Amino acid sequence: IHHWDSDGIASAVLIAKKYKDKISSFIIPRIGEYNIEAIDVNELKKLNPDLVLILDYGIPLSQLKILEKSIGVKVAVIDHHVNEFTVDAFCNPIAFGCAEEEYPSTTWVLREILGLEEFPDIVALGIIGDLGKAIKDSSLLRWIEENIKSRGLVIDDIIHAVNVVDSCYRLVDYECIDYVRRVLIEHKVKDIITDDYLRSKLLRLSEELSKALSSVKLVKEHDGFIKVFKVTTDAYITSLIGRELAYKHHNSIIVLQHEVKKLNKKYIYIRSYKYNLRSVLEAFKSMNMNVGGKDKVLVISCDGKTYEMDTIINTIATYIQA
């Protein structure tokens, strides 16, 4: 079971390249949802696996235990999102107290624990997939640049490849996700850049993003460093819009209210390249919000609930000082 973005797909590819003959199937949770209901338990049972491995999908451990009990099979987790920790079949350096900067992606975790030095392009795909433009400021930039040379690639190639891979989930296209994963397993990152089918997906996404960015509205500012935006789209491009806004407003915390009509869902996306939002994330969890994330970014899934924007803003202002 893997997350639907570049890091999740690349992580699944690394496992497949290492243990290809042992994998019976890949399962993608329902796009845009972070809970046990997003995983097809009946499909899992039919596969009759010896082990279920969850990659880069940070749902609460309490739900993972329910999943394990419902299918009667051991569930293992490899991840890098902020979460509770357990010592049973669980590998997440961030949950055990490591700095997020040390493990910016699940592919980097896999590289370390499995010694996967022979797939630097796949590892880099996960890192840049999660960091975006912030890779320019990352301590791993040099490692990536030096190691992808052997694949005939430069940083801009990986950035482009991330955009190609992520176009699948952003268009809510599961078949596309399966397709790009197969290409990466059988070939290399370089091959997805030149793939005509994937190029058409990226072009369509570019059109959706242009429309979204032109329609984003700044609806509120608080204390000069919290900026609230609002937008409605057909595509699931919450993180893409949010990253662009956060990069543009580099010294602020951006709060994006996003309605995705194709998923019939609403999200509140909070990101900052300057401020650490870990305390805000924990505060929202203590308020029983359906929230997940990391030090620099978090997402609240509304799922029929209404969260007052004043509550969101005041909580951020309480824990973060400009």
Side-chain angles (χ1 to χ4, degrees):
I1 302 173
H2 66 82
H3 193 221
W4 46 77
D5 69 1
S6 286
D7 189 26
I9 294 170
S11 296
V13 170
L14 288 175
I15 290 293
K17 285 181 177 292
K18 182 77 173 178
Y19 303 108
K20 191 170 184 179
D21 296 335
K22 297 182 182 295
I23 298 174
S24 62
S25 184
F26 295 97
I27 292 177
I28 306 159
R30 281 199 300 274
I31 293 172
E33 297 185 29
Y34 293 89
N35 50 58
I36 191 173
E37 288 79 16
I39 298 169
D40 192 333
V41 174
N42 289 328
E43 184 179 352
L44 273 177
K45 289 179 178 179
K46 289 176 184 176
L47 293 169
N48 193 29
D50 299 307
L51 173 74
V52 173
L53 175 60
I54 298 181
L55 297 168
D56 194 48
Y57 188 61
I59 63 176
L61 292 183
S62 58
Q63 294 197 19
L64 292 175
K65 291 174 182 176
I66 294 172
L67 175 63
E68 192 171 61
K69 186 175 181 180
S70 65
I71 60 177
V73 173
K74 176 69 72 178
V75 174
V77 175
I78 302 176
D79 195 12
H80 75 121
H81 293 87
V82 177
N83 206 340
E84 309 161 68
F85 66 85
T86 178
V87 295
D88 189 18
F90 181 81
C91 180
N92 182 338
I94 306 305
F96 286 104
C98 292
E100 190 173 306
E101 290 77 12
E102 295 177 22
Y103 296 94
S105 69
T106 298
T107 59
W108 190 250
V109 177
L110 285 165
R111 168 200 163 270
E112 179 173 295
I113 64 175
L114 297 177
L116 300 174
E117 300 295 342
E118 66 268 44
F119 308 114
D121 53 340
I122 305 297
V123 173
L125 187 69
I127 296 171
I128 295 178
D130 270 19
L131 290 182
K133 293 179 180 179
I135 186 59
K136 307 288 186 181
D137 304 317
S138 172
S139 60
L140 294 182
L141 179 62
R142 179 174 293 182
W143 180 92
I144 294 174
E145 289 177 326
E146 291 177 353
N147 284 275
I148 63 175
K149 281 181 183 178
S150 63
R151 295 289 189 267
L153 298 166
V154 295
I155 286 290
D156 285 344
D157 293 325
I158 303 294
I159 293 173
H160 181 62
V162 165
N163 291 332
V164 171
V165 173
D166 284 350
S167 66
C168 296
Y169 89 79
R170 286 168 176 154
L171 293 170
V172 195
D173 191 331
Y174 293 92
E175 290 182 3
C176 182
I177 294 174
D178 289 334
Y179 178 85
V180 76
R181 186 184 57 237
R182 287 197 304 271
V183 173
L184 286 169
I185 290 172
E186 296 169 7
H187 303 286
K188 298 174 182 177
V189 168
K190 208 167 188 178
D191 294 289
I192 65 173
I193 297 174
T194 56
D195 188 281
D196 289 339
Y197 170 74
L198 293 172
R199 187 184 289 126
S200 69
K201 296 293 182 181
L202 185 59
L203 179 61
R204 183 181 157 202
L205 178 70
S206 178
E207 295 168 353
E208 292 286 346
L209 180 60
S210 293
K211 285 195 300 182
L213 289 175
S214 65
S215 63
V216 170
K217 294 180 181 178
L218 176 64
V219 294
K220 193 168 188 176
E221 290 190 69
H222 183 84
D223 286 351
F225 76 108
I226 301 173
K227 299 181 185 296
V228 182
F229 299 86
K230 194 169 187 178
V231 70
T232 298
T233 68
D234 288 317
Y236 182 38
I237 48 179
T238 311
S239 62
L240 205 58
I241 300 168
R243 283 179 184 173
E244 289 294 324
L245 292 173
Y247 201 77
K248 181 179 180 180
H249 304 280
H250 208 80
N251 294 318
S252 302
I253 297 172
I254 69 101
V255 180
L256 174 65
Q257 301 175 78
H258 184 203
E259 179 180 358
V260 185
K261 290 191 290 185
K262 193 169 183 178
L263 293 174
N264 192 30
K265 288 185 176 295
K266 294 180 180 179
Y267 301 93
I268 299 172
Y269 180 96
I270 304 168
R271 189 176 191 111
S272 175
Y273 285 115
K274 178 178 180 179
Y275 298 97
N276 188 311
L277 303 174
R278 176 77 70 97
S279 58
V280 178
L281 174 60
E282 298 302 333
F284 286 151
K285 284 184 176 180
S286 70
M287 296 161 68
N288 294 318
M289 291 186 179
N290 186 9
V291 62
K294 298 173 287 187
D295 286 354
K296 298 292 186 179
V297 59
L298 55 98
V299 183
I300 301 170
S301 299
C302 297
D303 288 334
K305 296 182 180 179
T306 300
Y307 296 112
E308 294 294 333
M309 189 48 57
D310 285 344
T311 301
I312 301 293
I313 293 172
N314 290 334
T315 302
I316 295 172
T318 298
Y319 288 91
I320 306 295
Q321 300 299 316

